[in-house]
Amino acid sequence: MKSTAADDFAIEFLDVSYISPTGQQVLSGLNLEVRRGQTLVLLGRSGSGKTTTLKLVNRLLLPNGGEVRVNGLASGDLIRLRRSIGYVIQDGGLFPHFTVERNIALVPTIEGWPEERIRARVRELLQVVGLEAGMASRYPRQLSGGQRQRVGVARALAADPAILLMDEPFAALDPLTRDELQREFLAMQQQLKKTVVFVTHDLREALRLASRIALMEAGRLVTVLPPQDFLRSDDPWASAYARAYGVGPASAASRNEDRNTL
């Protein structure tokens, strides 16, 4: 039996709006789909609505209008929903008084997994994110920023969720560590094929990691395109991003214009 188009979507935003408690219109008329097994990158400036969009997926926020559907459902058991979605933020968001092992094991422990299964899962995930097994007994304060971020990713993956939300997870890292973690993310995604929503303001990161890039500006969706199509887009906002980061045809045209004005 063939799946319908709707079955291919893990996440759907249907005419979604969100107004903050202070009365600010943060999102307006958002229509967006995230296909299973793909990485959708939400790209945009600070205040464009990226993190709000992310938080609507696991219902840390609720829309004022429209629907957000996860696996076809706009409602249901909130606790079950959140446990079925991995969530990674800057600096890992680890519990400082938990060891690495206990941080990673948090959701499986809550779910009542047997201890041996949890220990095996922790060992497996440390290997997946590129950490030595001996790290399991350390505390977050004993780790570098890159190591904490790896643990944060491992914790998000612990219960094997189909959906992974990542809110600028590499933004605070130095360039070399960031490059390394991006490469590890790509290798992990090739292996695990999670449905990922990834927030960033960095076009180069979006081009490297995305299956599709959703560009946002002032609470609205500007365009959604695969990386190479994004670079060729004649949309003014997409072109402005490409010029600002010095990538793609738009940046080449800009450089020629600059030369002609000299």
Side-chain angles (χ1 to χ4, degrees):
M1 181 177 178
K2 291 185 177 180
S3 63
T4 65
D7 292 334
D8 293 335
F9 300 139
I11 304 166
E12 298 169 90
F13 294 85
L14 305 175
D15 201 25
V16 170
S17 63
Y18 178 77
I19 301 172
S20 74
T22 62
Q24 178 188 2
Q25 186 81 42
V26 181
L27 291 176
S28 302
L30 178 62
N31 289 284
L32 181 65
E33 297 88 24
V34 187
R35 291 186 178 276
R36 300 185 191 281
Q38 294 191 343
T39 300
L40 178 79
V41 171
L42 298 175
L43 176 69
R45 297 189 290 186
S46 298
S48 61
K50 305 185 303 297
T51 294
T52 296
T53 301
L54 197 75
K55 289 181 177 180
L56 287 167
V57 176
N58 61 359
R59 294 191 217 159
L60 288 174
L61 297 174
L62 296 176
N64 296 97
E67 283 188 348
V68 181
R69 296 179 183 173
V70 179
N71 295 321
L73 300 175
S75 61
D77 187 328
L78 180 58
I79 293 175
R80 176 56 49 194
L81 173 75
R82 289 181 179 166
R83 289 182 187 174
S84 70
I85 297 174
Y87 191 37
V88 186
I89 61 176
Q90 282 190 38
D91 205 33
L94 305 178
F95 291 106
H97 55 294
F98 283 8
T99 62
V100 166
E101 180 174 23
R102 195 174 172 193
N103 265 290
I104 296 173
L106 182 63
V107 174
T109 300
I110 292 171
E111 292 285 284
W113 288 22
E115 287 188 14
E116 183 49 44
R117 183 185 176 193
I118 292 174
R119 283 194 294 269
R121 182 63 172 159
V122 170
R123 289 194 298 269
E124 176 189 1
L125 287 171
L126 286 173
Q127 185 175 14
V128 167
V129 299
L131 291 175
E132 296 177 1
M135 293 281 186
S137 60
R138 296 189 185 181
Y139 288 86
R141 66 178 180 275
Q142 298 172 305
L143 306 177
S144 68
Q147 289 169 339
R148 286 193 297 272
Q149 208 57 48
R150 287 178 170 90
V151 175
V153 172
R155 184 177 67 179
L157 293 170
D160 198 22
I163 296 172
L164 191 61
L165 307 179
M166 306 183 77
D167 193 357
E168 300 201 61
F170 310 143
L173 303 175
D174 65 85
L176 290 179
T177 303
R178 187 172 187 170
D179 174 73
E180 187 175 285
L181 285 178
Q182 288 171 350
R183 283 190 282 108
E184 289 182 2
F185 170 82
L186 287 170
M188 179 196 77
Q189 179 63 343
Q190 187 174 18
Q191 176 187 353
L192 301 179
K193 293 180 172 55
K194 301 294 183 184
T195 300
V196 181
V197 182
F198 191 109
V199 166
T200 186
H201 60 266
D202 186 328
L203 176 58
R204 289 192 180 91
E205 184 166 69
L207 292 170
R208 188 176 194 184
L209 303 183
S211 306
R212 293 190 304 150
I213 298 172
L215 179 61
M216 302 185 71
E217 175 64 26
R220 293 185 179 276
L221 181 65
V222 175
T223 190
V224 187
L225 295 167
Q228 290 306 312
D229 291 346
F230 188 96
L231 289 179
R232 291 191 291 264
S233 174
D234 57 5
D235 178 89
W237 284 109
S239 298
Y241 247 95
R243 285 195 302 271
Y245 277 85
V247 296
S251 65
S254 177
R255 284 194 297 271
N256 288 335
E257 288 174 9
D258 290 343
R259 288 193 193 100
N260 292 335
T261 59
L262 292 176

